[in-house]
Amino acid sequence: PILLALLVIVGWFVIALGGFWRKTGALIADLRKFIVTVNGPISSADDSDLDASIQAGSELSIVWRRLRASRFRSNAGQLVLAHEPADLLVADDILDATKQFRFWSATPNYLVGLGLGFTFLGLVLALGSIDATNLGDPAQLTRLFAAMKFKFMASMTGIFLSIAFSFVLRQRTGFVHRLCAELQAALATRYPIVDPVVNAIAALGGRVEAVEA
């Protein structure tokens, strides 16, 4: 039973860690590639090449729609943004858009819960094996304590694997946050921030001046 419990806990850890590592690895690669594209030269007047560089189904495409909706052409003919990139492209939104991210975020709690659950289940089974009519037998206590020792191994395994997964989770999500901050800076350099209302008033003033002239 203890081997089965350890197999379940370790198996859960390995499967969750493998999926999380692959998915965040793909997301990090997409962010790095897109940062290079944003920092590169402008090859089209409407930035359609930048839009095309976002792969369909990518987590970036979800937040990029929001940024694209905020992009417009100013009176000077330059593509600008109506809002700061930091308000439009948020790392937490990208992570939340990642499939199974909430499951991975809760995995440390699941590992601890599995360890404790198997521990208490083992204790219940061990206590149930005691012969109540022969409590004076020292061998029963010996078997009980031996069983308790192995059952607590499941709990400790769950706790240690929970700590390990939390460390990897923090490191990878922190790296995604740093890349998003770098991307926000690159977008702020590429697109000036212009208030649409101010831009509309300036355009209206230009038309009035043209009519008066």
Side-chain angles (χ1 to χ4, degrees), residues 96-130:
D96 288 340
T98 305
K99 293 181 179 179
Q100 296 181 327
F101 181 74
R102 293 186 179 181
F103 165 75
W104 293 323
S105 299
T107 292
N109 296 330
Y110 292 151
L111 291 171
V112 173
L114 283 172
L116 292 175
F118 280 120
T119 297
F120 285 112
L121 178 61
L123 289 176
V124 170
L125 294 177
L127 291 172
S129 64
I130 294 179

Side-chain angles (χ1 to χ4, degrees), residues 104-199:
W104 293 323
S105 299
T107 292
N109 296 330
Y110 292 151
L111 291 171
V112 173
L114 283 172
L116 292 175
F118 280 120
T119 297
F120 285 112
L121 178 61
L123 289 176
V124 170
L125 294 177
L127 291 172
S129 64
I130 294 179
D131 184 5
T133 61
N134 190 21
L135 296 178
D137 185 5
Q140 290 200 93
L141 290 177
T142 302
R143 289 194 299 270
L144 177 62
F145 287 130
M148 289 174 62
K149 179 179 66 174
F150 286 108
K151 298 304 182 289
F152 278 114
M153 286 178 58
S155 181
M156 295 303 297
T157 300
I159 292 173
F160 285 132
L161 292 182
S162 173
I163 294 173
F165 196 94
S166 297
F167 176 78
V168 175
L169 181 70
R170 191 177 302 111
Q171 291 293 320
R172 298 289 277 186
T173 54
F175 194 56
V176 170
H177 276 81
R178 289 193 294 272
L179 286 176
C180 283
E182 186 177 344
L183 178 56
Q184 290 166 2
L187 289 169
T189 302
R190 187 181 183 104
Y191 298 116
I193 309 303
V194 176
D195 191 330
V197 176
V198 174
N199 184 74

Side-chain angles (χ1 to χ4, degrees), residues 201-213:
I201 292 174
L204 181 60
R207 293 194 189 98
V208 171
E209 290 178 0
V211 171
E212 290 178 350

Side-chain angles (χ1 to χ4, degrees), residues 38-120:
V38 172
N39 287 325
I42 300 175
S43 58
S44 61
D46 59 352
D47 265 4
S48 57
D49 57 330
L50 192 62
D51 297 336
S53 65
I54 299 290
Q55 298 180 2
S58 171
E59 287 73 19
L60 287 178
S61 63
I62 297 174
V63 295
W64 183 249
R65 293 193 203 105
R66 189 187 309 162
L67 190 141
R68 190 169 54 187
S70 175
R71 188 178 61 191
F72 66 97
R73 192 170 297 279
S74 67
N75 295 326
Q78 184 181 13
L79 285 176
V80 297
L81 291 177
H83 303 282
E84 293 286 345
D87 298 330
L88 300 171
L89 196 147
V90 183
D92 289 335
D93 292 342
I94 296 175
L95 290 171
D96 288 340
T98 305
K99 293 181 179 179
Q100 296 181 327
F101 181 74
R102 293 186 179 181
F103 165 75
W104 293 323
S105 299
T107 292
N109 296 330
Y110 292 151
L111 291 171
V112 173
L114 283 172
L116 292 175
F118 280 120
T119 297
F120 285 112

